[in-house]
């Protein structure tokens, strides 16, 4: 059974810092991996989707990498801003592409 | 485009009551999902559908039922509500070809309390 963990559970940084969020999964036979942002009381917003054949994806100040062999993905946020404060979740798509297993999330606070 | 629309946003039920959470998407996505999110936990899959007329159980299906009569709609029914079903429910959709699974799009969620 696929299990997804995210470390740290919470992170507080000053504005302008570069930071890395980690996602680990136990079964490397994945279809894809997706990073989401969730604001309090809201739904999830997709940030980046990495297919299993890709190593990384970039969107603006965000860069996500995928290393299937080690069961890890990282989300790099450059020049953090207070508006980046949210919970960040990763989700791993299974081999059939029919199920996503979610991590518990990392709660990020960027202090002005 | 509205994306994924869920109703109601909030609901309080008494133990033993039943209700249906509605979900509709206007993106012509073939895959649809229902997840629940409990405090401090990741999302857990309740049911999913790969197309109209096809549904399958996820990790936590007990106490729930679904149907998918059209591509657009994927309602989730709670029968005999229990306090353990107090949660935030999210509907999601994606377009998948079998070779590539697209990104998930989520609704705003339905917050359900069972007293």
């Amino acid at each position: 059974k696929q299990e997804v963990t995210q470390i740290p559970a919470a992170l507080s940084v000053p504005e302008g810092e570069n930071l890395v969020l980690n996602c680990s999964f136990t079964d490397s036979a994945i279809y894809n991996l997706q990073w989401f942002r969730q604001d309090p009381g809201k739904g999830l917003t997709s940030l980046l989707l990495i297919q299993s054949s890709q190593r990384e994806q970039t969107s603006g100040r965000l860069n996500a990498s995928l290393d299937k062999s080690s069961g890890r993905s990282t989300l790099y946020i450059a020049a953090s801003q207070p508006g980046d404060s949210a919970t960040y979740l990763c989700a791993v798509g299974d081999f059939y592409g029919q199920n996503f297993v979610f991590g518990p999330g990392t709660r990020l606070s960027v202090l002005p | 485009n509205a994306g994924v629309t869920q109703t109601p946003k909030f609901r309080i039920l008494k133990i033993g009551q039943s209700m249906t959470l509605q979900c509709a998407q206007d993106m012509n996505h073939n895959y649809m999902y229902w997840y629940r999110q409990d405090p401090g936990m990741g999302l857990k899959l309740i049911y999913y559908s790969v197309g109209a007329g096809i549904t399958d159980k996820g990790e936590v299906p007990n106490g729930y039922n679904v149907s998918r009569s059209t591509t657009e709609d994927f309602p989730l029914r709670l029968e005999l509500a229990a306090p353990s079903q107090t949660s935030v429910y999210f509907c999601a959709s994606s377009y998948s070809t079998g070779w590539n699974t697209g990104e998930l799009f989520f609704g705003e969620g339905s917050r359900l309390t069972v007293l």
Side-chain angles (χ1 to χ4, degrees):
Chain A
K1 179 185 171 185
Q2 179 75 268
E3 293 185 0
V4 181
T5 55
Q6 292 184 246
I7 295 174
L11 180 64
S12 186
V13 300
E15 181 177 5
E17 240 184 52
N18 302 325
L19 58 101
V20 174
L21 306 180
N22 297 294
C23 172
S24 297
F25 47 94
T26 55
D27 186 347
S28 62
I30 68 170
Y31 220 61
N32 56 26
L33 186 144
Q34 198 165 352
W35 282 93
F36 295 89
R37 169 189 173 130
Q38 185 176 28
D39 293 292
K42 298 292 187 182
L44 282 72
T45 301
S46 176
L47 297 173
L48 290 164
L49 170 67
I50 310 177
Q51 301 295 344
S52 63
S53 58
Q54 298 174 318
R55 297 280 294 182
E56 65 178 331
Q57 281 284 351
T58 298
S59 176
R61 294 183 294 109
L62 305 179
N63 176 276
S65 67
L66 174 63
D67 183 346
K68 284 200 313 175
S69 61
S70 66
R72 292 183 181 178
S73 175
T74 61
L75 178 66
Y76 174 82
I77 302 177
S80 58
Q81 303 170 358
D84 294 331
S85 298
T87 297
Y88 291 81
L89 298 97
C90 67
V92 175
D94 69 10
F95 189 69
Y96 299 100
Q98 295 175 354
N99 183 20
F100 287 86
V101 179
F102 281 79
T106 294
R107 190 171 66 253
L108 173 66
S109 296
V110 181
L111 306 174
Chain B
N1 280 347
V4 179
T5 302
Q6 290 184 236
T7 56
K9 287 186 168 46
F10 302 94
R11 182 73 185 267
I12 298 175
L13 282 181
K14 295 182 179 179
I15 294 173
Q17 287 185 320
S18 300
M19 74 159 298
T20 300
L21 300 178
Q22 301 292 342
C23 176
Q25 53 92 8
D26 61 0
M27 297 172 283
N28 202 31
H29 286 172
N30 50 351
Y31 282 30
M32 294 188 76
Y33 310 80
W34 274 105
Y35 287 90
R36 61 176 287 173
Q37 185 178 37
D38 300 311
M41 310 284 286
L43 279 73
K44 293 191 183 300
L45 183 65
I46 305 171
Y47 271 95
Y48 66 96
S49 168
V50 301
I54 306 170
T55 62
D56 210 343
K57 297 177 181 179
E59 185 181 355
V60 289
N62 291 344
Y64 307 94
N65 275 302
V66 294
S67 60
R68 182 98 182 269
S69 57
T70 66
T71 299
E72 295 78 19
D73 299 300
F74 191 42
L76 176 72
R77 181 152 181 87
L78 283 71
E79 303 283 1
L80 299 174
S84 61
Q85 293 179 303
T86 294
S87 188
V88 181
Y89 292 84
F90 288 102
C91 180
S93 70
S94 71
Y95 183 75
S96 299
T97 63
W99 292 105
N100 255 342
T101 301
E103 61 182 304
L104 280 175
F105 289 84
F106 278 83
E108 291 277 296
S110 297
R111 186 177 298 274
L112 176 67
T113 302
V114 182
L115 301 174

